[in-house]
């Protein structure tokens, strides 16, 4: 097993170092995955090398990751079952199917990372995506994977480009936070807090225009005043007059 892991790591490192111009096609999720692998010495050295080449990282950030790459994070059976759940299962039966899906694909320790990939991948015209994302967040029992799922949810916010990105990529997070009030206000507060922490750790910041529909959260009395104030500064930071109007 160790020899196989070593071979896989070696192959990935060679591909990224020698064929980086091809790897750029993977897009911004490549950066997210590399950050998850910094505990592996070979990937840590690669990441440190990338940090001194900000233009390469910027090229990745500007590219939205195509769905075919995101599909590689889940098994074909998982994809088939999820597509069936999204397109064929009616509302009244959905919870039973979700529990079955979680038991088969997400409950074992080695499976939990798949929830993160599903959050990135999820697309549906039948079931509101924000509902499915909310369920996937609750399926993450370990804090590490829960944080990864939240990052997956907000990742496109950080680098959103109105020309090259689709508004559908940021819609689930917006609707999940807004529609979770008042019944699941704790989830909304958790996501707001995570977004604020995320902005502090990414130089890119949240693009203007992405969160313009979130004023409802800035005025919700169920959310703590300090959190509302911080969130207001985030979404209207470049427009003090508008922030004052919300207050």
């Amino acid at each position: 097993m160790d020899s196989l892991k070593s071979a896989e790591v070696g192959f990935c490192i060679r591909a990224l170092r020698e064929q980086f111009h091809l790897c750029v096609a993977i897009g911004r999720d490549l950066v997210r995955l590399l950050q998850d692998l910094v505990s592996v010495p070979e990937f840590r050295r690669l990441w440190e090398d990338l940090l001194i080449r900000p233009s390469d990282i910027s090229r990745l950030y500007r590219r939205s990751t195509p769905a075919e790459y995101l599909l590689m994070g889940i098994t074909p059976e998982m994809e088939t079952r999820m597509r069936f759940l999204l397109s064929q299962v009616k509302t009244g039966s959905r919870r039973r199917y979700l529990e079955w899906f979680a038991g088969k694909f997400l409950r074992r320790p080695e499976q939990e990372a798949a929830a993160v990939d599903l959050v990135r991948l999820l697309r549906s015209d039948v079931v509101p995506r924000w509902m499915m994302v909310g369920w996937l967040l609750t399926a993450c029992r370990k804090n590490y994977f829960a944080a990864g799922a939240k990052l997956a949810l907000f990742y496109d916010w950080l680098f959103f480009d109105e020309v090259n990105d689709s508004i559908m990529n940021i819609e689930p997070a917006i609707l999940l936070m807004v529609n979770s009030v008042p019944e699941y206000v704790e989830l909304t507060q958790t996501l707001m807090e995570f977004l604020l922490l995320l902005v502090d750790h990414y130089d890119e910041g949240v693009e203007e225009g992405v969160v313009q529909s979130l004023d409802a959260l800035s005025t919700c009395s169920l959310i703590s005043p300090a959190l509302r104030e911080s969130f207001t500064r985030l979404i209207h930071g470049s427009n003090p007059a508008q922030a004052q109007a919300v207050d």
Side-chain angles (χ1 to χ4, degrees):
M1 184 64 70
D2 288 342
S3 61
L4 177 60
K5 177 182 176 181
S6 178
E8 290 176 338
V9 169
F11 172 79
C12 291
I13 295 297
R14 285 195 303 275
L16 288 164
R17 289 193 181 279
E18 298 172 11
Q19 303 293 334
F20 184 80
H21 63 289
L22 298 178
C23 297
V24 168
I26 299 173
R28 62 181 64 123
D29 275 79
L30 177 58
V31 179
R32 182 177 62 85
L33 295 173
L34 287 175
Q35 289 175 318
D36 274 347
L37 292 169
V38 292
S39 60
V40 180
E42 294 87 347
F43 283 104
R44 183 170 61 250
R45 288 192 290 271
L46 175 66
W47 178 246
E48 290 170 350
D49 290 343
L50 279 175
L51 289 178
I52 62 176
R53 291 152 43 200
S55 61
D56 286 340
I57 294 182
S58 182
R59 287 170 64 194
L60 290 168
Y61 280 155
R62 289 196 299 267
R63 293 181 70 102
S64 180
T65 298
E68 54 264 30
Y69 291 114
L70 297 173
L71 275 170
M72 295 178 182
I74 65 174
T75 66
E77 183 184 7
M78 189 183 301
E79 178 191 358
T80 300
R81 299 294 186 179
M82 178 57 80
R83 290 188 185 279
F84 174 81
L85 195 157
L86 293 174
S87 62
Q88 303 297 324
V89 178
K90 296 181 179 179
T91 302
S93 304
R94 194 170 299 143
R95 179 167 293 278
R96 178 166 61 90
Y97 276 86
L98 287 172
E99 287 300 319
W100 176 88
F101 185 91
K104 184 172 180 61
F105 296 115
L106 301 175
R107 290 279 162 76
R108 294 203 300 271
E110 69 274 14
Q111 295 176 319
E112 200 165 353
V116 179
D117 294 309
L118 284 169
V119 170
R120 291 295 290 154
L121 177 64
L122 199 54
R123 299 288 186 273
S124 173
D125 295 325
V126 179
V127 179
R129 292 184 298 156
W130 65 269
M131 289 185 178
M132 295 299 298
V133 170
W135 172 77
L136 284 168
L137 290 176
T138 65
C140 296
R141 293 173 294 175
K142 294 182 179 178
N143 291 337
Y144 173 81
F145 292 115
K150 293 171 192 171
L151 176 61
L153 177 62
F154 286 118
Y155 205 59
D156 288 313
W157 287 42
L158 298 170
F159 319 107
F160 186 78
D161 183 331
E162 292 183 1
V163 176
N164 299 313
D165 284 298
S166 169
I167 193 68
M168 298 299 288
N169 291 339
I170 63 173
E171 177 212 48
I174 295 174
L175 293 180
L176 179 58
M177 287 193 291
V178 172
N179 291 330
S180 292
V181 176
E183 188 172 359
Y184 303 106
V185 68
E186 295 85 0
L187 175 60
T188 297
Q189 292 192 127
T190 297
L191 292 175
M192 290 170 67
E193 290 167 353
F194 185 85
L195 179 58
L196 290 169
L197 288 172
L198 201 58
V199 171
D200 287 340
H201 285 81
Y202 278 83
D203 292 336
E204 299 282 337
V206 177
E207 292 287 343
E208 294 180 29
V210 171
V211 290
Q212 59 187 351
S213 62
L214 294 177
D215 283 343
L217 300 180
S218 301
T219 58
C220 178
S221 61
L222 297 175
I223 296 171
S224 71
L227 182 55
R228 278 187 283 145
E229 182 180 352
S230 297
F231 200 70
T232 299
R233 286 199 299 269
L234 170 64
I235 65 177
H236 296 303
S238 60
N239 190 340
Q242 191 173 0
Q244 184 67 32
V246 172
D247 293 339

